[in-house]
């Protein structure tokens, strides 16, 4: 079932000749010392070889289009086809980023309207679309917090508070921004431990990074108290938008008191995950951070029937943390988010969080009834929830990983199992709003069936998967004997051997 | 309900299972004062047909114009098969390969990509890509500071011939890391790094020297001498390259007389990504094997499964944020997976010969354009050094005015260098790729002749 490497399809002299200029003109003025004299190492293959090889490789993937993909914290919802089709219109694809604004009014209109919609739906005063992924949005957010304090001469504020349940990007980002990370414990209900928080805040507090609903799948019940505490001590609040899908159109980070947020447009606004990117991490800010936003931002003058769009730069955003990408972030992704937002409209945005929450609570209830243990049994689910397989591990010696691998055999992508670190043998499950009741029921049946298999013969789980192109892979050896590229010489040796 | 499959009956049954009276009740843990939101400023929903008409009209509005702008984003022909396959749902709607057994497609593509990039650059290791060329340079700087243990200064020598936006991004991302950027000026006549200015740092502790090839002016630097300089001064050498140019030019792994540069970064856009108003593109990052554990971003390795078959996994994850948290090499977690998929398919289709033909056609076409434009009175080359496929030209009058007049004739004549460099208000950076025909070049030359004639008559 495994597919050879493209290099192994290569035959000397074969080519996809329709794709390239037929001739290579000689460049006389290029000195010999600057010229390349080593092979490029690219395969020599026909167009059909290429099409068949990569089509086959695509078929070795699970994806939203082919499988239920309840990967917690990743919001794997359906990516409407229209978004890709319309963002790929030639007028958009062929526009150079430095082409004059007079020849980009259509594109800029979309971006401006997207900024406005995101402002409204999050309750923020300004939006900058340029960060290229959630992690870069986080970077922009913390950099703005730091710049804000520094602009006020408040240079002692260097501590960023991060709950111990937070995504790893939060502490990594705080450090990249030159801040010290202060960890805050979580209480038994999954909320931030407010008493512990009170002890850690003070004159060094630059801000707090919160995900709400949290990474534990529950809404932070004390958010208004926390917000008040942080602001009173002189710090700012950062909203990690990883879980925005849970509250879209229902509750707004701005109303909770957040000063800066990032949104993962590849989650909440359904732009493609693309096998790991491109993401898109737009940021929203409260009034006090408007002058610190990353550039470029789209401005609008004229209005009414004759709006004119222009780029805002350093002169318009005087304390801007500056440019974070060569041009305009993941520009084409923003168009996809725009189309999605327009297709939803305000009613549709509210329905996103309502049905994501309905699906999540339904799936949680059904798994609980089937005998599975919930990490937070007394809480409502948000758009996601956590099952802990601690008991199965103790009684049957099968791990969350074993359950996950067996689910693949049943045709379901596994939930998130490596995170959050606080819950042992966890399954962080996020069904999203675009899945039907039958799909959720099927998932419950598979979970029950796998549990029964474990009771009969644990090997069914520990040896899974058995139906995929490969069985379990040796990650330890992969890290020890690094093989990070195809070696043409080694291939020759292999074929001889 | 768009994209929501629930029937009225589903909703009723599901609420009954949960034991809730309404969907709103599921939000009961949220303070009621937070739950009354007004989002009426968001427009009501548009049908697919309506939004299609709107987007077509807007795309149409942005269409047209003959583009001679380069400066970090280049118009190239992308074979039809590239995005046909890349946007297959199995690639488009998959995520990070956390379950490798269910993600072999994506993982093998990245492994093939890494193999192609190391081949192209002559380096040992490539990561699975970063966001774009500019942020890749920022990550390379942070990486160099970690990797160069002989240096204590965190001093980076940054030539002004590096793309101005890349320099800004590197500065902004490294702003809070006590990294010192020292600017090395370019020679006015050649457009290359000023070697005397560089020599002034000979006795100082230098962490890394950034070497652009080609540089922002399109000019080719003396990369051998610069790489040797870095190595002789215990500084790491960071190459910033256009990957397409490597089909013609010496690979960074061979620069200088030692073992080549330490780190190579670049903008991957010329390898199959449309210009698309600035993104999504992807950042290339390759390095020497000895630096691999300081490398940011994802990397895929080959291993075997329980039955001994080859398979692919994410590896070296202990460098990354989800394990190391505050001690990670970077906060990055995604790569630009879809763009890497496109680039891998693109490079497979072109092959070595195709890539060489495209690169040399670009170089020849720009030479043709330059000779047509410099035949016009008052238009001349700014620099005398050899270039790849971009060239700075001096024009009579202000570059900005000339470019605006050309744009009014639907010709995007290049980039106004005065926007970035003092004393270059009359300089335009032009680029002509393989997409431009002789007629296109002549259309530019004719339009420029008209524009300059009109402006001299007006004066």
């Amino acid at each position: 079932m495994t597919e050879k490497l493209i290099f192994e399809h290569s035959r000397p002299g074969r080519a996809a000749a329709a794709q390239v200029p037929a001739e290579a003109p000689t460049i006389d003025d290029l000195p010999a010392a600057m010229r390349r004299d080593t092979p490029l190492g690219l395969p020599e293959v026909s167009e059909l070889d290429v099409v068949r090889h990569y089509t086959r490789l695509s078929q070795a993937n699970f994806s939203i289009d082919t499988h239920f993909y309840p990967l917690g914290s990743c919001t794997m919802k359906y990516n409407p086809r229209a978004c890709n089709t319309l963002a790929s219109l030639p007028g958009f694809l062929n526009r150079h980023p430095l082409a004059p604004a007079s020849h980009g009014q259509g594109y800029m209109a979309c971006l401006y309207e997207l900024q406005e919609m995101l402002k409204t739906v999050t309750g923020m005063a300004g939006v900058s679309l340029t960060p290229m992924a959630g992690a870069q949005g986080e970077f922009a957010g913390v950099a703005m917090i730091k710049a804000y304090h520094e602009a006020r001469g408040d240079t002692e504020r260097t501590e960023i508070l991060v709950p111990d349940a937070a995504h790893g990007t939060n502490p990594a980002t705080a450090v990249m921004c030159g801040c010290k990370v202060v960890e805050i414990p979580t209480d038994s209900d999954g909320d931030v431990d407010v008493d512990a928080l009170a002890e850690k805040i003070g004159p060094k507090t630059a801000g707090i990074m919160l995900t709400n609903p949290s990474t534990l799948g529950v809404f932070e019940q004390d958010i208004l108290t926390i917000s008040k505490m942080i602001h009173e001590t002189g710090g700012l609040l950062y909203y990690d938008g990883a879980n925005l899908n849970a509250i879209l159109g229902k509750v707004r980070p701005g109303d909770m008191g957040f000063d800066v947020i990032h949104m993962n447009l590849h989650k909440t606004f359904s732009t493609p995950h693309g096998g790991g990117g491109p993401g898109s991490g737009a940021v929203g800010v409260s009034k006090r951070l408007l002058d610190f936003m990353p550039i470029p931002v789209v401005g609008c003058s004229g209005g009414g029937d004759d709006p004119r769009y222009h780029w805002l730069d350093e002169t318009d955003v005087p304390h801007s943390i500056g440019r974070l990408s060569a041009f305009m972030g993941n520009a084409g992704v923003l168009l996809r988010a725009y189309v999605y937002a327009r297709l939803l409209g305000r009613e549709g945005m509210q329905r996103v969080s309502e049905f994501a929450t309905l699906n999540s609570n339904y799936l949680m209830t059904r798994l609980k009834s089937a005998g599975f243990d919930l990490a937070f049994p007394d809480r409502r689910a948000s758009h996601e929830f956590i099952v802990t397989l601690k008991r199965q591990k103790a009684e049957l010696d099968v791990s969350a990983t074993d359950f996950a691998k067996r689910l693949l055999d049943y045709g379901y992508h596994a939930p998130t199992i490596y995170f959050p670190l606080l819950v042992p043998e966890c399954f962080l499950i996020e069904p999203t709003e675009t899945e039907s009741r039958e799909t959720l029921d099927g998932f419950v049946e598979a979970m029950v069936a796998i549990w029964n298999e474990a009771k009969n013969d644990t090997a069914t789980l520990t040896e899974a998967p058995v139906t995929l192109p490969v069985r379990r892979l040796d990650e330890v050896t992969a890290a020890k004997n690094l093989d990070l590229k195809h070696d043409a010489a080694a291939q020759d040796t292999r074929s001889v051997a | 309900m768009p994209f929501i499959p629930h029937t009225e009956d589903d909703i009723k049954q599901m609420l009954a299972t949960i034991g809730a009276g309404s969907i709103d009740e599921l939000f009961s843990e949220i303070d009621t004062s937070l739950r009354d939101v007004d989002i009426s400023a968001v427009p009501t929903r548009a049908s697919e047909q309506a939004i299609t008409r709107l987007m077509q009209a807007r795309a149409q509005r942005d269409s047209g114009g003959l583009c001679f702008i380069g400066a970090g984003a280049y118009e190239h022909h992308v074979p039809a098969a590239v995005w046909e396959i890349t946007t297959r749902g199995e690639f488009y709607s998959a995520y990070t390969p956390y379950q490798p057994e269910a993600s072999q497609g994506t993982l093998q593509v990245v492994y093939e990509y890494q193999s192609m990039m190391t081949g192209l650059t002559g380096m040992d290791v490539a990561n699975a890509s970063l966001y774009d060329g500019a942020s890749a340079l920022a990550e390379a700087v942070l990486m160099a500071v970690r990797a160069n243990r002989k240096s204590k200064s965190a001093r980076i020598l940054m030539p002004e011939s590096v793309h101005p936006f890349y320099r800004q991004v590197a500065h902004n991302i490294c702003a809070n890391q006590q990294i010192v950027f020292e600017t090395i000026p370019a020679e006015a006549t050649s457009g290359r790094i000023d070697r005397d200015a560089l020599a002034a740092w000979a006795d100082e502790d230098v962490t890394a020297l950034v070497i652009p090839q080609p540089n922002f002016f399109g000019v080719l630097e003396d990369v051998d001498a610069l790489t040797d300089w870095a190595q002789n001064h215990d500084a790491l050498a960071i190459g910033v390259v256009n990957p397409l140019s490597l089909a013609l030019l010496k690979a960074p792994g061979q620069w200088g007389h030692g073992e080549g540069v330490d780190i190579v970064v670049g903008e991957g856009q010329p390898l199959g990504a449309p210009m698309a108003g600035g993104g999504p593109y992807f950042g290339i990052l390759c390095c020497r094997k000895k630096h691999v554990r300081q490398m940011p971003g994802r990397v895929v390795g080959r291993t075997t499964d329980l039955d001994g078959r080859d398979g692919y996994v994410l590896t070296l994850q202990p460098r990354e944020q989800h394990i190391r948290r505050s001690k990670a090499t970077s906060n990055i977690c995604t790569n630009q997976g879809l763009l890497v998929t496109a680039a891998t398919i693109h490079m497979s289709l072109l092959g070595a010969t195709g890539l060489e033909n495209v690169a040399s056609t670009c170089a020849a076409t720009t030479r043709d354009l330059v000779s047509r434009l410099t035949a016009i009175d008052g238009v001349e080359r700014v620099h005398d050094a050899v270039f790849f496929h971009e060239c700075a030209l001096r024009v009579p009058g202000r570059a900005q005015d000339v470019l605006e007049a050309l744009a009014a004739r639907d010709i995007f004549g290049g980039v106004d260098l005065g926007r970035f460099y003092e004393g270059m208000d009359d300089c335009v950076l032009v680029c002509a790729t393989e997409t431009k025909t002789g007629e296109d070049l002549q259309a530019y030359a004719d339009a420029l002749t008209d524009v300059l004639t009109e402006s001299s008559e007006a004066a």
Side-chain angles (χ1 to χ4, degrees), chain A residues 343-364:
Chain A
L343 286 169
L344 288 182
R346 55 174 176 261
E347 320 85 338
M349 286 190 195
Q350 272 168 353
R351 276 196 297 262
V352 162
S353 54
E354 289 173 353
F355 284 84
T357 304
L358 176 67
N359 274 359
S360 175
N361 278 282
Y362 175 75
L363 190 53
M364 180 174 86

Side-chain angles (χ1 to χ4, degrees), chain A residues 3-7 16 19-21 24-25 27 29-30 33-36 40 45 51 53-55 57-58 61-65 69 74 76 80-81 84 91-96 103-107 110 113 132-133 135 146 166 168-169 172-173 175-177 219 246 249-250 255 272-278 321-323 326-327 329-332 336 338 342-347 351 357 359 365 379-380 405 418 434-435 471-474 478-479 483-486 494, chain B residues 1-3 6 14 17 24 27 29-30 34-35 37 40 42-46 51 58-59 61-63 69-71 73 79 85 87-95 98-99 101-106 108 111-112 114-115 118-120 124-125 131-132 165 169 172-173 176-177 192 220 246 248-250 275-280 300-307 309-310 312-313 315 321 325-326 331 334-338 344 348-350 357 360 367 386 407 410 412:
Chain A
E3 173 70 15
K4 286 193 289 191
L5 290 167
I6 188 74
F7 306 97
Q19 314 292 351
V20 290
I27 310 301
D29 59 357
L30 207 59
M34 290 188 175
R35 287 178 185 271
R36 182 167 191 123
L40 286 174
V45 285
V51 169
H53 173 72
Y54 290 103
T55 301
L57 282 186
S58 77
N61 270 359
F62 277 31
S63 66
I64 301 167
D65 283 5
Y69 212 124
C74 296
M76 302 299 284
R81 284 281 157 187
N84 184 53
F92 295 132
L93 287 190
N94 297 332
R95 205 181 70 81
H96 193 284
H103 289 66
Q105 291 291 302
Y107 170 72
C110 296
E113 291 171 17
M132 291 180 283
K146 191 126 196 292
T169 47
T173 298
V175 169
M176 269 186 99
C177 292
F219 193 87
K250 290 292 270 190
D255 299 335
H273 282 75
I321 58 162
R323 187 177 279 279
F327 301 110
N330 283 330
R336 287 168 175 80
Y338 171 74
R342 292 298 311 273
L343 286 169
L344 288 182
R346 55 174 176 261
E347 320 85 338
R351 276 196 297 262
T357 304
N359 274 359
T365 307
R379 300 292 304 267
R380 287 275 189 220
K405 299 297 182 194
Y418 55 88
T434 58
E435 297 297 336
R471 296 183 60 202
R472 273 194 221 190
L473 291 153
D474 185 349
D483 173 356
L484 307 179
K485 63 175 181 183
H486 167 71
R494 258 194 199 188
Chain B
M1 294 182 288
F3 319 122
H6 301 63
M14 290 169 83
T17 302
D24 260 350
F27 291 86
E29 290 182 8
I30 302 175
L34 291 172
R35 278 192 275 155
V37 301
S40 56
V42 174
T44 189
R45 83 177 174 95
I51 194 79
R58 286 180 174 177
R61 200 173 168 189
D62 293 357
S63 296
I69 310 172
I85 300 177
T87 53
R88 281 179 65 91
E90 299 94 325
F91 284 134
Y92 188 80
S93 72
Y95 197 31
Y98 291 124
Q99 296 292 341
E101 300 86 354
S103 313
Q104 285 298 296
T106 290
Q108 185 171 332
Y111 181 85
E112 292 181 359
Q114 290 171 184
S115 305
T118 51
L120 214 52
D124 300 326
V125 185
Y131 304 132
D132 74 345
F165 286 157
V169 170
N172 296 338
I173 292 180
N176 288 305
Q177 297 295 328
R192 292 172 160 194
L220 299 182
L246 297 178
L248 290 186
L249 303 176
K250 194 190 261 191
M275 295 189 290
V300 169
R302 176 157 60 177
T303 184
T304 49
D305 75 354
L306 284 173
D307 295 336
R309 279 176 299 203
D310 280 350
Y312 304 87
V313 293
T315 191
Q321 50 74 30
R325 299 178 74 84
S326 65
N331 75 341
T334 45
N335 63 338
Q336 298 280 101
L338 209 56
T344 307
S348 299
L349 282 170
L350 266 62
N357 291 5
S360 53
R367 280 158 177 71
V386 63
D410 275 343
F412 306 144

Side-chain angles (χ1 to χ4, degrees), chain A residues 91-315:
Chain A
F92 295 132
L93 287 190
N94 297 332
R95 205 181 70 81
H96 193 284
L98 300 177
S102 57
H103 289 66
Q105 291 291 302
Y107 170 72
M108 292 168 85
C110 296
L111 259 53
Y112 182 78
E113 291 171 17
L114 179 61
Q115 288 171 189
E116 293 298 306
M117 286 189 283
L118 294 177
K119 268 159 63 174
T120 301
V121 81
T122 58
M124 306 306 285
V127 163
S128 166
L129 300 170
T130 136
M132 291 180 283
Q136 208 184 41
E138 285 184 40
F139 176 88
V142 178
M144 279 189 268
I145 290 176
K146 191 126 196 292
Y148 168 81
H149 292 308
E150 279 167 9
R152 290 155 43 97
D154 202 352
T155 52
E156 294 303 301
R157 295 192 180 273
T158 53
E159 291 182 353
I160 293 282
L161 307 169
V162 179
D164 55 5
H167 293 122
T169 47
N170 289 179
T173 298
V175 169
M176 269 186 99
C177 292
C179 294
K180 190 173 162 246
V181 177
V182 177
E183 217 170 71
I184 308 294
T186 303
D187 71 19
S188 57
D189 283 336
D191 291 321
V192 165
D193 184 333
V194 175
D195 296 334
L197 176 65
E199 286 168 24
K200 306 245 170 156
I201 57 176
K204 287 188 171 176
T205 302
I208 186 167
M209 300 179 83
L210 284 180
T211 311
N212 194 15
S214 76
T215 56
L216 301 172
V218 293
F219 193 87
E220 193 66 65
Q221 296 177 96
D222 301 316
I223 183 61
L224 292 174
T225 312
I226 295 170
S227 166
K228 194 154 169 268
M229 284 165 73
I230 298 291
H231 281 143
E232 279 175 0
T233 197
L236 300 185
L237 282 88
Y238 177 87
Y239 180 86
D240 179 327
N243 295 341
L244 185 63
N245 213 54
I247 58 168
L248 189 69
K250 290 292 270 190
V251 185
R252 308 192 303 177
D255 299 335
M256 297 180 216
F258 284 96
D259 299 284
V260 53
I261 73 170
H262 91 261
M263 295 158 262
N264 294 296
L265 300 182
H266 54 284
K267 298 179 184 174
T268 316
F269 286 84
S270 207
T271 65
H273 282 75
S280 192
V283 287
V285 297
S286 63
K287 273 208 186 87
R288 64 178 113 190
L289 290 179
L290 275 174
D291 286 348
F292 297 86
M293 285 198 293
I295 51 171
V297 174
V298 181
C300 178
S301 57
D305 289 340
D306 186 29
R308 307 296 300 168
Y309 302 98
H310 57 278
W311 297 108
L312 302 181
D313 60 20
E314 290 91 341
T315 45

Side-chain angles (χ1 to χ4, degrees), chain B residues 59-183:
Chain B
Q60 187 59 39
R61 200 173 168 189
D62 293 357
S63 296
L66 215 45
C67 182
F68 295 94
I69 310 172
Y74 303 94
E75 185 177 7
H76 292 295
H77 175 70
V78 180
V82 171
W83 284 92
E84 284 281 337
I85 300 177
T86 301
T87 53
R88 281 179 65 91
E90 299 94 325
F91 284 134
Y92 188 80
S93 72
Y95 197 31
T96 298
Y98 291 124
Q99 296 292 341
E101 300 86 354
S103 313
Q104 285 298 296
T106 290
L107 286 161
Q108 185 171 332
V109 167
V110 173
Y111 181 85
E112 292 181 359
Y113 162 81
Q114 290 171 184
S115 305
M116 290 178 190
M117 290 322 305
T118 51
L120 214 52
T121 58
M123 301 297 285
D124 300 326
V125 185
N127 77 0
S129 78
L130 299 167
Y131 304 132
D132 74 345
S135 62
L137 176 58
E139 289 283 0
V141 166
L142 293 168
M143 177 179 167
V145 171
R146 291 191 297 270
N148 189 346
R149 296 206 178 84
K150 285 181 189 160
S151 167
K152 301 280 170 255
S153 64
R155 177 182 287 126
I156 307 294
L157 302 186
M158 181 70 87
E160 68 171 354
S161 59
V162 170
H163 197 308
F165 286 157
Y166 284 35
R167 283 184 279 139
Q168 288 176 22
V169 170
H171 182 269
N172 296 338
I173 292 180
C174 301
N176 288 305
Q177 297 295 328
Q178 283 79 47
I179 289 169
V180 187
F181 290 97
E182 300 288 357
T183 306

Side-chain angles (χ1 to χ4, degrees), chain B residues 287-363:
Chain B
C287 69
R288 288 289 164 214
K289 198 166 184 183
K290 63 183 173 190
H291 301 311
V292 68
R293 280 167 212 280
Q294 298 302 336
M295 188 169 69
R298 291 183 176 141
V299 60
V300 169
R302 176 157 60 177
T303 184
T304 49
D305 75 354
L306 284 173
D307 295 336
R309 279 176 299 203
D310 280 350
Y312 304 87
V313 293
L314 291 175
T315 191
L316 293 176
Q317 296 195 68
R319 299 164 299 122
E320 295 188 60
Q321 50 74 30
H322 61 279
I323 312 255
R324 291 274 281 173
R325 299 178 74 84
S326 65
K327 295 185 178 60
T329 54
S330 167
N331 75 341
I332 195 164
C333 41
T334 45
N335 63 338
Q336 298 280 101
L338 209 56
L339 282 303
V340 161
T341 306
T344 307
I345 298 171
H346 188 80
M347 286 188 281
S348 299
L349 282 170
L350 266 62
T353 309
L355 216 56
E356 282 159 24
N357 291 5
V358 172
S360 53
T361 304
C362 290

